Amino acid sequence: MADESQNRGMDRRRFLTVLGVTGGGAAVLSGCSTEKIERLVPYLVQSEDQVPGVPTVYASTCTECPAGCGLHVKTREGRAIKLEGNPDHPVNRGKLCALGQSSLQGLYNPDRLRGPMLRQPGGGFKEISWDEAIARLAAELQKAGSRVAVLSGAGRGTFSDLLAEWTAALGGRLVRYEPFDHEPLRAANRQVFGRDELPVHDFARARYIVSFGADFLEHWLSPMENQRGFAESHGFNGGAMAKHVYFAPRMSLTGMNADEWHPITPGSEAVLALAMANVLLAERAVGGDLGPVRELVARYTPEQAAGETGLSPETIRRIAREFASARPSLAVAGGVGSQHRGAAEVCAAVNILNYVAGNVGETVRFGAGLDMGDGYGAVQQLAQAMDRGEVALLLVHEANPVYTLPKASRFAERMAKVPFKVSTSLYLDETAAACDLLLPDHHPLERWDDRRPRAGVNGLLQPVMQPVFNTRATGDVLLAVSQRLGGPVARFNAPTFEAHLRAAWGRLAQEAGAADAEAFWREALARGGVFRDRPAAPA
């Protein structure tokens, strides 16, 4: 019988030892046959708001994409178990996409880095303490002087403000990197409207939606906001239903939900949009000074567009007339479905179509200040600086450019020329594997932070549970390094990033005219942030 229990790896005495938590509420036990500590309950001293078996819900903010949706995090016995949308948040209104739901998988991912690590001369990594890691980073920063560069994928908020000020105090350069930064749409808005920003699209108000390759139901701009608006306009609201036409060679989720899908020839989207604008100007009484636009689209006839797109001239005219008769309508472009050399031209042509149809200011609104990176050009300038030997220390935060940038950028090759490289990634991804010092950040559900994804929206993040591994918030790392370095960064002297965050929200409370900053903070924490409407800016 003893041999059989040994083969199973668990005998009766060990089972009862591990199971038998003492009456004093002990959370760790040591079995008589092993010295390994076994954690049975995730807290030694039970928090007053934790009742075993009863879930507790905290408000937070999703960081899986720049949209910054609001979260409700359900926890049980001190562990997060379910994520849902925050009904009070103006972006997602209680809904949450699949990417946001998957954030919980990243929290418990066994492949997360357990703690700080330092590269050895032989090429491998060894675990070090946080004191050693911060001392090493401070020493390397001292050695690098002003030749410091930071590539950050963090969304806009108090941390990104601290990171920008900290980098500037060192005399370094900061590049904000977003893999899906919608650079063609930004370039088109600069060209057509003179605004270097991304607009907000009101799918809920649109009575006719035409997409030129924009997968707005998948991952284009603010997918949860798009899905919610599309469901409202396309769901027999008040006895009416908006029509959705999709022009793209790829059958995406957006195309599957379209009333009409036309697999046009790749690269012909701009010609089609201009031909539709031509039909509107020729057959409809369109107000405003559109003389230059008439001259621009005059040669883009339905017949010419038919030859390039594969559609018939009759189909192009029919869809253009339907688009013009439904008010307000909405045309969108960009995203994976139209990523080719003419992507910016496609977005510019769709801008013209929306302007001719009178949609700008109605279903296409500027002035929201959507969060976005510095663009691919800024990343290329940084890569060239690394190639010239102008960067002695590179800090990569919440980004994996070695994987996400095209190989033609030669980023990995240029990054290898930097003497010392640091990553705050939660995982040993492609960029972290090429670094010398790894300082794994807390997961967003384990740390204090905030997000400003657009004007009037300030979302809070709070730690809903204790860290799973020996990680540390990058904000705390920056503050600790600043005290070791002294000099121009010594002014960043908050004891913790939580204290720094609360001081920033104290200033926000003053701007909002709150009489009690502490009450303002607690109310924002319970609601998930502070949300205010901002008027749209005319184009």
Side-chain angles (χ1 to χ4, degrees), residues 73 95-96 236 250 285 296 335 350 366 423 495 533-534:
V73 186
K95 309 300 181 182
L96 193 63
F236 287 102
R250 170 179 172 266
L296 176 66
V350 172
F366 289 88
S423 172
D533 293 331
R534 293 293 179 90

Side-chain angles (χ1 to χ4, degrees), residues 247 262-266 268-276 278-279 299-318:
F247 295 117
H262 298 279
I264 62 175
T265 304
S268 64
E269 298 92 347
V271 175
L272 177 59
L274 293 175
M276 289 177 61
N278 189 356
V279 173
R299 66 187 183 91
Y300 294 98
T301 63
E303 286 72 21
Q304 181 200 9
E308 296 194 29
T309 62
L311 300 174
S312 66
E314 292 74 19
T315 300
I316 296 175
R317 285 193 175 89
R318 174 182 61 81

Side-chain angles (χ1 to χ4, degrees), residues 4-235:
E4 183 180 352
S5 65
Q6 290 176 358
N7 291 336
R8 292 197 304 266
M10 175 72 75
D11 57 17
R12 180 176 179 273
R13 177 179 296 176
R14 173 166 169 74
F15 175 77
L16 293 176
T17 301
V18 173
L19 190 64
V21 180
T22 64
V28 293
L29 291 174
S30 177
C32 60
S33 60
T34 179
E35 296 300 319
K36 181 180 178 182
I37 300 298
E38 304 217 18
R39 188 177 298 273
L40 298 182
V41 182
Y43 41 77
L44 286 170
V45 180
Q46 181 174 320
S47 173
E48 61 182 12
D49 61 349
Q50 291 285 351
V51 179
V54 178
T56 305
V57 178
Y58 298 95
S60 189
T61 302
C62 182
T63 62
E64 293 297 316
C65 80
C69 295
L71 291 179
H72 275 177
V73 186
K74 181 186 291 186
T75 65
R76 180 168 289 170
E77 281 78 59
R79 290 290 182 262
I81 61 172
K82 189 69 174 71
L83 302 180
E84 293 296 346
N86 183 353
D88 292 334
H89 202 280
V91 174
N92 57 322
R93 300 288 184 187
K95 309 300 181 182
L96 193 63
C97 70
L99 188 61
Q101 295 280 2
S102 70
S103 177
L104 205 60
Q105 306 301 319
L107 174 65
Y108 298 112
N109 192 331
D111 291 330
R112 284 179 58 184
L113 293 173
R114 262 58 172 179
M117 303 182 75
L118 180 67
R119 183 178 295 279
Q120 297 302 290
F125 287 98
K126 79 165 185 177
E127 295 183 3
I128 59 176
S129 69
W130 274 107
D131 287 340
E132 292 174 307
I134 291 173
R136 181 60 184 271
L137 178 58
E140 294 294 338
L141 286 169
Q142 190 77 36
K143 187 190 307 182
S146 62
R147 302 191 323 169
V148 175
V150 178
L151 184 68
S152 173
R156 189 171 51 201
T158 301
F159 173 80
S160 65
D161 294 342
L162 171 64
L163 185 60
E165 295 172 8
W166 183 81
T167 307
L170 292 173
R173 69 169 74 189
L174 170 67
V175 176
R176 293 190 60 218
Y177 174 61
E178 166 57 40
F180 297 100
D181 61 355
H182 306 282
E183 188 71 13
L185 184 55
R186 290 172 56 186
N189 292 336
R190 288 195 302 267
Q191 179 184 5
V192 178
F193 299 125
R195 303 189 67 93
D196 186 17
E197 61 175 293
L198 299 174
V200 171
H201 300 87
D202 194 343
F203 285 88
R205 288 192 62 212
R207 309 318 311 156
Y208 200 100
I209 302 169
V210 178
S211 174
F212 295 83
D215 303 327
F216 59 84
L217 295 180
E218 292 187 64
H219 45 67
W220 184 77
L221 291 178
S222 182
M224 199 65 258
E225 187 177 22
N226 299 340
Q227 292 175 24
R228 181 170 51 83
F230 179 76
E232 183 175 342
S233 65
H234 200 252

